[in-house]
Amino acid sequence: MRDAYAFFKAVLKGKNMAKSKGSAFFCKECGYESAKWFGQCPACKEWNTFVEEPVIKDATGRKKTVTLSEAPVTLSQISVETDDRISSGIGELDRVLGGGIIKGSLVLVGGDPGIGKSTLLIQMCRHIAKENHKVLYISGEESLKQIKLRAERIGEFNDNLTLMCETNLDNVEAALKKYTPEVVIIDSIQTMYREEIGSAPGSVSQVRESTSVLMQLAKGLGISIFIVGHVTKEGVVAGPRVLEHMVDTVLYFEGDRQAAYRILRSVKNRFGSTNEIGVFEMRENGLMEVLNASEYMLSGRPEDAPGSIVVCLMEGTRPILVEIQALVCRTNFNLPRRTAVGTDPNRVNLLMAVIEKRMGLRLSECDAYINIAGGLRINEPALDLGIVMAILSNYKNKEIGSRTIAFGEVGLAGEIRAVSQAEMRVAEAVKLGFEKCIVPSVCLKSLEKLKGKIELVGVKSINDLIGIM
């Protein structure tokens, strides 16, 4: 009788265990969870993004007692310390972070393989360790010897930097609680896994669970954690998009691996501006800061070449001068080619349609190629006037002065509209020695202080450019 009772008890226990383990479908883009597969995600409307992964649910049915850990407080009861930020020792990185590293923050650094993410973070660790801050570098991709070889090319390190090769998240959590470092680097989040999650490392469930645990550790222990994330061919961090919503700051490393320049862009920052960029140059001993980005972007610019003009843009609080190049030639096809590198091709097509309609030029018979020299990716409306002038200059084969810049937004009626922070843009042009600035007419009132330093020409529509050029 006892054997039969034990047998049925084991069978019932097995059924409960079977119910507790199962699988679910997750969207790789937004993290939406569903019990069945969808061709199109109901949340983000993306196609073919659902993957099946095992999940573990609690089937005991026991009630849990919930206790309130902290009582609500008022704003007057919260004290904000002035030393909550740690300087990374790299001015361009501090600018993008909003003034330094916030204690207890979780920062995601994404970028293409080999772009320099690990190099930048190991340089940051070197500077922080010199200021007597405890730093822990956890790598799931490289061995300790590989990290040392890369670090020796950068410079000397002291004993405040410790290294650890680990992919098990439970061991990482135990190490953080035991050694309590001030700054932690996780390289990379796709290599971390937790044994309770049945899926492979790098899957949606593992990446989301790992990020959630690291976020709790950062907030609970007051540790600043940097996690490295690989990107997909579309240029977004591999894994669910919910990963970007969980972290405090999202930084993207942009640029061509074959080129010397690198651009660090902030796309999300809870502690500072979101449109700041940092410019770096890759050298043998690591990444070096480019302090004067405008001068660097304009190096090697041709003098008095048709189709070339300089435009002043704003990246956060930083004015940057870039060169726009246009090439317009007769097409050999029924459908002309329109190619844009560094900006939105649809915006270029729109501006060419405005030129053809408002100025009567037969651009529909021409191929057009637009290039933003320097490798920047720009979608600011202030770029419009520069694109229009570059197209007109190359189409008519007339040079624009090498000491001339322009900025302004172009509307569908051909009008030139105002842009923000016009005074800072013109001041940057004055600093670099430009002599003439073509601006929207509505911005002239705000530029009266700079009239004696540079020639200001106001335009109301694109038809006014004919007399100027």
Side-chain angles (χ1 to χ4, degrees), residues 140-165:
E141 300 178 344
E142 297 177 300
S143 65
L144 296 177
K145 293 183 179 180
Q146 289 175 318
I147 300 174
K148 182 178 180 180
L149 291 174
R150 179 156 47 87
E152 287 179 345
R153 298 198 305 266
I154 297 174
E156 297 181 356
F157 290 77
N158 58 20
D159 293 337
N160 288 325
L161 173 64
T162 54
L163 305 176
M164 180 180 176
C165 291

mmCIF file of all heavy atoms in Angstrom, residues 140-165:
data_model
loop_
_atom_site.group_PDB
_atom_site.id
_atom_site.type_symbol
_atom_site.label_atom_id
_atom_site.label_comp_id
_atom_site.label_asym_id
_atom_site.label_seq_id
_atom_site.Cartn_x
_atom_site.Cartn_y
_atom_site.Cartn_z
ATOM 1 N N GLY A 140 33.974 37.823 -21.000
ATOM 2 C CA GLY A 140 33.462 36.517 -21.369
ATOM 3 C C GLY A 140 33.924 36.082 -22.738
ATOM 4 O O GLY A 140 33.519 35.025 -23.221
ATOM 5 N N GLU A 141 34.764 36.898 -23.382
ATOM 6 C CA GLU A 141 35.201 36.610 -24.747
ATOM 7 C C GLU A 141 36.707 36.405 -24.855
ATOM 8 O O GLU A 141 37.167 35.704 -25.746
ATOM 9 C CB GLU A 141 34.787 37.760 -25.679
ATOM 10 C CG GLU A 141 33.284 37.987 -25.729
ATOM 11 C CD GLU A 141 32.926 39.155 -26.624
ATOM 12 O OE1 GLU A 141 33.834 39.944 -26.949
ATOM 13 O OE2 GLU A 141 31.748 39.277 -26.987
ATOM 14 N N GLU A 142 37.487 37.030 -23.976
ATOM 15 C CA GLU A 142 38.944 36.961 -24.064
ATOM 16 C C GLU A 142 39.514 36.328 -22.800
ATOM 17 O O GLU A 142 38.897 36.384 -21.728
ATOM 18 C CB GLU A 142 39.544 38.360 -24.246
ATOM 19 C CG GLU A 142 39.139 39.048 -25.528
ATOM 20 C CD GLU A 142 39.711 40.448 -25.616
ATOM 21 O OE1 GLU A 142 39.407 41.272 -24.731
ATOM 22 O OE2 GLU A 142 40.467 40.725 -26.559
ATOM 23 N N SER A 143 40.688 35.775 -22.936
ATOM 24 C CA SER A 143 41.392 35.248 -21.778
ATOM 25 C C SER A 143 42.152 36.373 -21.085
ATOM 26 O O SER A 143 42.284 37.488 -21.610
ATOM 27 C CB SER A 143 42.371 34.149 -22.215
ATOM 28 O OG SER A 143 43.392 34.689 -23.042
ATOM 29 N N LEU A 144 42.669 36.077 -19.891
ATOM 30 C CA LEU A 144 43.412 37.086 -19.145
ATOM 31 C C LEU A 144 44.671 37.518 -19.884
ATOM 32 O O LEU A 144 45.055 38.701 -19.858
ATOM 33 C CB LEU A 144 43.767 36.538 -17.759
ATOM 34 C CG LEU A 144 42.586 36.232 -16.835
ATOM 35 C CD1 LEU A 144 43.084 35.632 -15.525
ATOM 36 C CD2 LEU A 144 41.766 37.491 -16.564
ATOM 37 N N LYS A 145 45.326 36.595 -20.575
ATOM 38 C CA LYS A 145 46.536 36.943 -21.318
ATOM 39 C C LYS A 145 46.217 37.856 -22.495
ATOM 40 O O LYS A 145 46.981 38.781 -22.792
ATOM 41 C CB LYS A 145 47.229 35.668 -21.808
ATOM 42 C CG LYS A 145 47.808 34.812 -20.684
ATOM 43 C CD LYS A 145 48.536 33.602 -21.243
ATOM 44 C CE LYS A 145 49.133 32.762 -20.114
ATOM 45 N NZ LYS A 145 49.843 31.564 -20.651
ATOM 46 N N GLN A 146 45.097 37.613 -23.159
ATOM 47 C CA GLN A 146 44.714 38.479 -24.276
ATOM 48 C C GLN A 146 44.420 39.898 -23.803
ATOM 49 O O GLN A 146 44.785 40.873 -24.454
ATOM 50 C CB GLN A 146 43.496 37.888 -24.993
ATOM 51 C CG GLN A 146 43.790 36.625 -25.778
ATOM 52 C CD GLN A 146 42.531 36.022 -26.370
ATOM 53 O OE1 GLN A 146 41.491 35.965 -25.725
ATOM 54 N NE2 GLN A 146 42.636 35.554 -27.601
ATOM 55 N N ILE A 147 43.763 40.009 -22.664
ATOM 56 C CA ILE A 147 43.464 41.337 -22.122
ATOM 57 C C ILE A 147 44.748 42.053 -21.742
ATOM 58 O O ILE A 147 44.899 43.260 -21.978
ATOM 59 C CB ILE A 147 42.526 41.225 -20.915
ATOM 60 C CG1 ILE A 147 41.203 40.568 -21.326
ATOM 61 C CG2 ILE A 147 42.247 42.593 -20.306
ATOM 62 C CD1 ILE A 147 40.282 40.297 -20.170
ATOM 63 N N LYS A 148 45.702 41.331 -21.161
ATOM 64 C CA LYS A 148 46.971 41.949 -20.771
ATOM 65 C C LYS A 148 47.749 42.440 -21.985
ATOM 66 O O LYS A 148 48.338 43.528 -21.963
ATOM 67 C CB LYS A 148 47.807 40.951 -19.970
ATOM 68 C CG LYS A 148 49.122 41.551 -19.484
ATOM 69 C CD LYS A 148 49.912 40.567 -18.645
ATOM 70 C CE LYS A 148 51.218 41.210 -18.172
ATOM 71 N NZ LYS A 148 52.017 40.286 -17.344
ATOM 72 N N LEU A 149 47.755 41.646 -23.072
ATOM 73 C CA LEU A 149 48.471 42.070 -24.273
ATOM 74 C C LEU A 149 47.870 43.345 -24.855
ATOM 75 O O LEU A 149 48.597 44.224 -25.322
ATOM 76 C CB LEU A 149 48.445 40.943 -25.311
ATOM 77 C CG LEU A 149 49.270 39.696 -24.984
ATOM 78 C CD1 LEU A 149 49.029 38.608 -26.026
ATOM 79 C CD2 LEU A 149 50.752 40.041 -24.911
ATOM 80 N N ARG A 150 46.559 43.446 -24.824
ATOM 81 C CA ARG A 150 45.913 44.657 -25.323
ATOM 82 C C ARG A 150 46.159 45.837 -24.392
ATOM 83 O O ARG A 150 46.332 46.974 -24.834
ATOM 84 C CB ARG A 150 44.414 44.402 -25.481
ATOM 85 C CG ARG A 150 43.633 45.590 -25.969
ATOM 86 C CD ARG A 150 42.344 45.152 -26.660
ATOM 87 N NE ARG A 150 41.635 44.160 -25.879
ATOM 88 C CZ ARG A 150 40.755 44.457 -24.914
ATOM 89 N NH1 ARG A 150 40.527 45.716 -24.615
ATOM 90 N NH2 ARG A 150 40.111 43.513 -24.270
ATOM 91 N N ALA A 151 46.187 45.574 -23.091
ATOM 92 C CA ALA A 151 46.399 46.650 -22.127
ATOM 93 C C ALA A 151 47.826 47.189 -22.184
ATOM 94 O O ALA A 151 48.043 48.389 -21.958
ATOM 95 C CB ALA A 151 46.079 46.158 -20.721
ATOM 96 N N GLU A 152 48.789 46.338 -22.481
ATOM 97 C CA GLU A 152 50.179 46.790 -22.539
ATOM 98 C C GLU A 152 50.422 47.767 -23.679
ATOM 99 O O GLU A 152 51.344 48.574 -23.615
ATOM 100 C CB GLU A 152 51.110 45.587 -22.666
ATOM 101 C CG GLU A 152 51.234 44.774 -21.375
ATOM 102 C CD GLU A 152 52.153 43.580 -21.534
ATOM 103 O OE1 GLU A 152 52.459 43.233 -22.701
ATOM 104 O OE2 GLU A 152 52.558 43.001 -20.513
ATOM 105 N N ARG A 153 49.606 47.702 -24.737
ATOM 106 C CA ARG A 153 49.752 48.662 -25.838
ATOM 107 C C ARG A 153 49.254 50.047 -25.441
ATOM 108 O O ARG A 153 49.630 51.042 -26.044
ATOM 109 C CB ARG A 153 48.971 48.179 -27.072
ATOM 110 C CG ARG A 153 49.450 46.869 -27.645
ATOM 111 C CD ARG A 153 48.936 46.693 -29.064
ATOM 112 N NE ARG A 153 47.488 46.817 -29.133
ATOM 113 C CZ ARG A 153 46.644 45.778 -29.078
ATOM 114 N NH1 ARG A 153 47.134 44.550 -28.930
ATOM 115 N NH2 ARG A 153 45.341 45.959 -29.151
ATOM 116 N N ILE A 154 48.395 50.104 -24.425
ATOM 117 C CA ILE A 154 47.797 51.373 -24.020
ATOM 118 C C ILE A 154 48.674 52.107 -23.029
ATOM 119 O O ILE A 154 48.876 53.317 -23.119
ATOM 120 C CB ILE A 154 46.392 51.122 -23.431
ATOM 121 C CG1 ILE A 154 45.490 50.525 -24.524
ATOM 122 C CG2 ILE A 154 45.795 52.393 -22.861
ATOM 123 C CD1 ILE A 154 44.136 50.107 -24.030
ATOM 124 N N GLY A 155 49.230 51.403 -22.051
ATOM 125 C CA GLY A 155 50.062 52.049 -21.042
ATOM 126 C C GLY A 155 50.184 51.199 -19.798
ATOM 127 O O GLY A 155 49.868 49.998 -19.806
ATOM 128 N N GLU A 156 50.634 51.817 -18.714
ATOM 129 C CA GLU A 156 50.842 51.106 -17.459
ATOM 130 C C GLU A 156 49.577 51.153 -16.604
ATOM 131 O O GLU A 156 48.854 52.139 -16.590
ATOM 132 C CB GLU A 156 52.014 51.724 -16.691
ATOM 133 C CG GLU A 156 53.350 51.626 -17.419
ATOM 134 C CD GLU A 156 54.477 52.231 -16.600
ATOM 135 O OE1 GLU A 156 54.182 52.786 -15.509
ATOM 136 O OE2 GLU A 156 55.631 52.157 -17.047
ATOM 137 N N PHE A 157 49.340 50.069 -15.880
ATOM 138 C CA PHE A 157 48.177 49.941 -15.001
ATOM 139 C C PHE A 157 48.650 49.667 -13.578
ATOM 140 O O PHE A 157 49.717 49.055 -13.376
ATOM 141 C CB PHE A 157 47.271 48.794 -15.466
ATOM 142 C CG PHE A 157 46.537 49.068 -16.749
ATOM 143 C CD1 PHE A 157 47.189 48.985 -17.973
ATOM 144 C CD2 PHE A 157 45.196 49.417 -16.736
ATOM 145 C CE1 PHE A 157 46.524 49.230 -19.152
ATOM 146 C CE2 PHE A 157 44.516 49.664 -17.912
ATOM 147 C CZ PHE A 157 45.182 49.575 -19.128
ATOM 148 N N ASN A 158 47.859 50.104 -12.597
ATOM 149 C CA ASN A 158 48.184 49.807 -11.203
ATOM 150 C C ASN A 158 47.285 48.680 -10.691
ATOM 151 O O ASN A 158 46.463 48.123 -11.425
ATOM 152 C CB ASN A 158 48.062 51.058 -10.328
ATOM 153 C CG ASN A 158 46.659 51.667 -10.384
ATOM 154 O OD1 ASN A 158 45.697 51.011 -10.752
ATOM 155 N ND2 ASN A 158 46.557 52.937 -10.013
ATOM 156 N N ASP A 159 47.420 48.356 -9.414
ATOM 157 C CA ASP A 159 46.722 47.205 -8.848
ATOM 158 C C ASP A 159 45.253 47.489 -8.519
ATOM 159 O O ASP A 159 44.563 46.595 -8.008
ATOM 160 C CB ASP A 159 47.441 46.730 -7.569
ATOM 161 C CG ASP A 159 48.824 46.166 -7.874
ATOM 162 O OD1 ASP A 159 49.030 45.752 -9.036
ATOM 163 O OD2 ASP A 159 49.683 46.160 -6.969
ATOM 164 N N ASN A 160 44.768 48.702 -8.775
ATOM 165 C CA ASN A 160 43.351 48.970 -8.537
ATOM 166 C C ASN A 160 42.453 48.345 -9.603
ATOM 167 O O ASN A 160 41.237 48.270 -9.422
ATOM 168 C CB ASN A 160 43.098 50.476 -8.486
ATOM 169 C CG ASN A 160 43.644 51.108 -7.224
ATOM 170 O OD1 ASN A 160 43.621 50.500 -6.158
ATOM 171 N ND2 ASN A 160 44.159 52.324 -7.330
ATOM 172 N N LEU A 161 43.057 47.915 -10.707
ATOM 173 C CA LEU A 161 42.312 47.235 -11.758
ATOM 174 C C LEU A 161 42.484 45.730 -11.602
ATOM 175 O O LEU A 161 43.604 45.222 -11.602
ATOM 176 C CB LEU A 161 42.793 47.678 -13.139
ATOM 177 C CG LEU A 161 42.216 46.911 -14.334
ATOM 178 C CD1 LEU A 161 40.699 47.129 -14.443
ATOM 179 C CD2 LEU A 161 42.915 47.300 -15.635
ATOM 180 N N THR A 162 41.384 45.013 -11.477
ATOM 181 C CA THR A 162 41.400 43.547 -11.382
ATOM 182 C C THR A 162 40.639 42.972 -12.564
ATOM 183 O O THR A 162 39.665 43.565 -13.052
ATOM 184 C CB THR A 162 40.766 43.068 -10.073
ATOM 185 O OG1 THR A 162 39.452 43.632 -9.938
ATOM 186 C CG2 THR A 162 41.611 43.490 -8.882
ATOM 187 N N LEU A 163 41.098 41.822 -13.020
ATOM 188 C CA LEU A 163 40.518 41.156 -14.183
ATOM 189 C C LEU A 163 39.885 39.840 -13.777
ATOM 190 O O LEU A 163 40.326 39.188 -12.821
ATOM 191 C CB LEU A 163 41.578 40.912 -15.256
ATOM 192 C CG LEU A 163 42.379 42.121 -15.740
ATOM 193 C CD1 LEU A 163 43.440 41.697 -16.730
ATOM 194 C CD2 LEU A 163 41.460 43.161 -16.366
ATOM 195 N N MET A 164 38.871 39.428 -14.531
ATOM 196 C CA MET A 164 38.159 38.189 -14.235
ATOM 197 C C MET A 164 37.533 37.675 -15.522
ATOM 198 O O MET A 164 36.904 38.440 -16.268
ATOM 199 C CB MET A 164 37.089 38.447 -13.170
ATOM 200 C CG MET A 164 36.283 37.232 -12.764
ATOM 201 S SD MET A 164 35.059 37.673 -11.495
ATOM 202 C CE MET A 164 34.203 36.113 -11.325
ATOM 203 N N CYS A 165 37.708 36.400 -15.819
ATOM 204 C CA CYS A 165 37.085 35.764 -16.971
ATOM 205 C C CYS A 165 35.950 34.878 -16.471
ATOM 206 O O CYS A 165 36.201 33.851 -15.811
ATOM 207 C CB CYS A 165 38.095 34.937 -17.766
ATOM 208 S SG CYS A 165 39.335 35.934 -18.617
#
